[in-house]
Amino acid sequence: HNGLTISCSGIIRIENQHFKIYNPQIINGCQTVNILYEAYKNNIKDPKLKKASILCRFYALDEKQVEGVCQATNTQANITLSELRSNDDIQKIIEKNCSKNIMKS
């Protein structure tokens, strides 16, 4: 298990161990997030969950760098370039518009 890798458009240190992360997107670790969500949902009152932690790496990247980091951090399972298309600008626009339409419904 190698934690989560998250790309973002910017990182600002607010104080010693507090940061503001802009536009975070998980680029490696989605399976981990799903497993954690299921564990939390099924055991919401379990005190062990409050003590759990996971390694998270944040990278402030421009659009051209995201694909390279995706490939570099997804070495356990072969990730093809076509599977990385969710990071394309057009896909982000479609996702944003779809979520707006869902909210209106």
Side-chain angles (χ1 to χ4, degrees), residues 93-105:
I93 292 167
I94 291 169
E95 180 181 359
K96 186 176 183 179
N97 286 330
C98 286
S99 65
K100 284 180 184 178
N101 290 334
I102 290 171
M103 297 259 197
K104 289 179 183 178
S105 300

Side-chain angles (χ1 to χ4, degrees), residues 27-38:
I27 58 175
N28 185 359
C30 288
Q31 182 178 5
T32 300
V33 171
N34 287 328
I35 290 169
L36 289 172
Y37 171 74
E38 288 299 320

